[in-house]
Amino acid sequence: EVQLLDSGGGLVQPGGSLRLSCEASGFTFSNYVMSWVRQAPGKGLEWVSGVSGTGANTYYADSVKGRFTISRDNSKNMLYLQMHSLTAEDTAIYYCAKHLGGLNTHFDYWGQGTLVTVSS
Amino acid sequence: DVVMTQSPASLAVSLGERATINCKSSSSSGNYLAWYQQKPGQPPKLLIYWASARESGVPDRFSGSGSGTDFTLTISSLKAEDVAVYYCHQYYSVPFTFGPGTRVDIK
């Protein structure tokens, strides 16, 4: 059974940093592109970043480019999102999501999400 | 970026009646289009992918159609458990984008 366990969220001050983690199980992690998708309170879904199976290729939304870094450790079946220079606009539930296969495939599994709150 | 729009923003349908949600992309997305259902406090759940392929375990009252720029999600006979927000999503080009969502309620 595919499982994605998001963690690492919390309260952080504006300008601060946070690292999110996603522990994957139930599938061959290195074979799949993974992404982060966020949802601000009461709002819609926004794709944030994606990473290829090997980790060699990364992709970002303009809203986070230069501030967020996606990475993965295939030996540990872990996905990460390092976030810097956080602002109130980054407040959201962050979901890790597994692609069906390559980059241009849909998300077939989602984590439960981890809440990031940026506030002083 | 491909901008996704959905209509209506919300709709209320009687139990057993049909619900239709439309999704339009600002440029062609081919058939790289998925639909998700989201209930309060839960992550999105995949319903439809490749515009019309139903995910395993999804009831056959859910169907998708369309290609290019115009897509439709149809719930043929609404059940109480279908109350949710529905999102379309294009995965044709990066940045991947979602529609703003359509809230479905019972009339």
Side-chain angles (χ1 to χ4, degrees):
Chain A
E1 179 193 5
V2 172
Q3 291 193 16
L4 300 172
L5 185 61
D6 308 307
S7 62
L11 176 63
V12 60
Q13 291 190 337
S17 299
L18 207 58
R19 188 178 85 153
L20 307 183
S21 301
C22 172
E23 181 178 2
S25 61
F27 63 102
T28 305
F29 183 64
S30 59
N31 285 356
Y32 296 90
V33 174
M34 298 291 294
S35 278
W36 289 96
V37 178
R38 69 184 180 183
Q39 186 169 35
K43 302 298 185 182
L45 301 166
E46 179 189 18
W47 175 81
V48 171
S49 182
V51 60
S52 63
T54 63
N57 298 300
T58 57
Y59 311 87
Y60 298 95
D62 285 347
S63 59
V64 306
K65 199 171 295 182
R67 300 188 300 123
F68 290 12
T69 301
I70 191 171
S71 63
R72 63 193 297 161
D73 185 338
N74 287 342
S75 69
K76 297 180 179 178
N77 288 355
M78 295 292 295
L79 176 72
Y80 304 103
L81 186 68
Q82 179 68 56
M83 305 184 294
H84 296 294
S85 304
L86 288 162
T87 72
E89 286 66 45
D90 297 314
T91 294
I93 297 172
Y94 285 73
Y95 298 101
C96 69
K98 171 187 170 292
H99 291 242
L100 176 72
L103 180 64
N104 297 100
T105 59
H106 58 277
F107 308 124
D108 57 351
Y109 290 93
W110 299 65
Q112 285 298 308
T114 187
L115 176 63
V116 173
T117 303
V118 184
S119 175
S120 55
Chain B
D1 299 3
V2 178
V3 177
M4 308 298 288
T5 57
Q6 288 181 231
S7 62
S10 64
L11 74 162
V13 176
S14 299
L15 291 172
E17 295 299 307
R18 178 186 300 261
T20 301
I21 301 169
N22 300 300
C23 173
K24 192 174 185 68
S25 60
S26 60
S27 61
S28 178
S29 298
N31 65 337
Y32 289 65
L33 192 285
W35 290 96
Y36 300 91
Q37 175 194 67
Q38 188 177 34
K39 298 180 179 180
Q42 297 183 18
K45 173 190 173 184
L46 175 66
L47 297 176
I48 302 289
Y49 57 96
W50 299 126
S52 61
R54 192 181 304 111
E55 174 70 342
S56 175
V58 172
D60 61 7
R61 64 180 180 274
F62 290 93
S63 64
S65 64
S67 67
T69 60
D70 293 282
F71 304 89
T72 300
L73 175 70
T74 301
I75 309 172
S76 61
S77 179
L78 193 76
K79 295 186 178 294
E81 60 260 38
D82 301 334
V83 170
V85 179
Y86 293 84
Y87 294 94
C88 61
H89 159 56
Q90 69 81 19
Y91 46 97
Y92 181 75
S93 64
V94 171
F96 303 130
T97 49
F98 295 86
T102 294
R103 183 177 304 276
V104 174
D105 285 310
I106 305 297
K107 183 187 293 183

